[in-house]
Amino acid sequence: MQLYIADPDTLVFTAGRVLVLEWRANVTLAGMEHVQRAYDDLRARFGRGLFLFTVVRDAPVPSKEVRKVIADFMNAGNGVFVASVAAYTARGLRAAIVRQVAFALALMARTAYRHEPCDSIEAGVKWLEKNAHIQDGKELRACLAAMGLVDAVN
């Protein structure tokens, strides 16, 4: 596991071929810089066959500038990412709006890889294991548990 940042807004780490990103409070350009660095490191190590696992807590809709950076990042992952999961843990009206914006970003990015929205972190891990045939599932679970994102490793 390689940790890139853990601050009040953003958590970024890698676990095997998985880039894990948690937006905690705000979706920022600074956070995206850490995401890009983690992505570049994974590309240098593995080339292709990567996975993106995003957790969205109670973050508001990002600014137009940040949305563009995210869409460009997702588009650049074509041919590199096998699949992407976005786990939304917040509930309520604002969370629903954030989910819709994220869906629009995925469409705008024109991703060639499958992007799956999930309603929990556990559902996202299970989806990757089942549908993306991820080989790093056990390592991912251990890392998520270590970072306090899941309660126990199954």
Side-chain angles (χ1 to χ4, degrees):
M1 181 176 88
Q2 172 69 44
L3 177 64
Y4 288 83
I5 186 169
D7 70 15
D9 287 326
T10 313
L11 171 67
V12 177
F13 67 92
T14 58
R17 292 178 175 266
V18 184
L19 191 164
V20 180
L21 160 64
E22 180 187 28
W23 295 117
R24 295 173 167 175
N26 294 294
V27 182
T28 64
L29 285 175
M32 282 306 299
E33 289 172 6
H34 292 284
V35 171
Q36 187 65 54
R37 196 171 94 231
Y39 173 79
D40 292 344
D41 288 351
L42 281 179
R43 288 269 338 249
R45 184 170 175 205
F46 296 109
R48 298 175 180 208
L50 306 181
F51 301 89
L52 177 62
F53 194 102
T54 305
V55 177
V56 181
R57 294 283 181 196
D58 198 25
V61 173
S63 70
K64 184 176 180 179
E65 181 181 20
V66 174
R67 290 193 308 266
K68 170 82 168 96
V69 170
I70 292 170
D72 290 347
F73 171 79
M74 291 176 72
N75 183 270
N78 286 332
V80 178
F81 285 124
V82 173
S84 168
V85 167
Y88 302 94
T89 62
R91 302 290 180 255
L93 180 60
R94 186 170 90 171
I97 292 168
V98 169
R99 283 191 296 275
Q100 291 303 314
V101 168
F103 178 76
L105 280 173
L107 289 176
M108 189 170 80
R110 298 179 185 249
T111 57
Y113 52 92
R114 185 156 174 198
H115 178 73
E116 184 70 19
C118 296
D119 63 0
S120 71
I121 294 168
E122 182 64 26
V125 173
K126 286 180 180 177
W127 185 89
L128 277 179
E129 289 172 332
K130 180 180 177 186
N131 298 291
H133 309 290
I134 188 169
Q135 302 300 311
D136 302 83
K138 191 170 188 176
E139 180 180 1
L140 175 60
R141 286 176 182 277
C143 291
L144 290 170
M147 300 309 290
L149 295 177
V150 293
D151 293 330
V153 179
N154 296 328

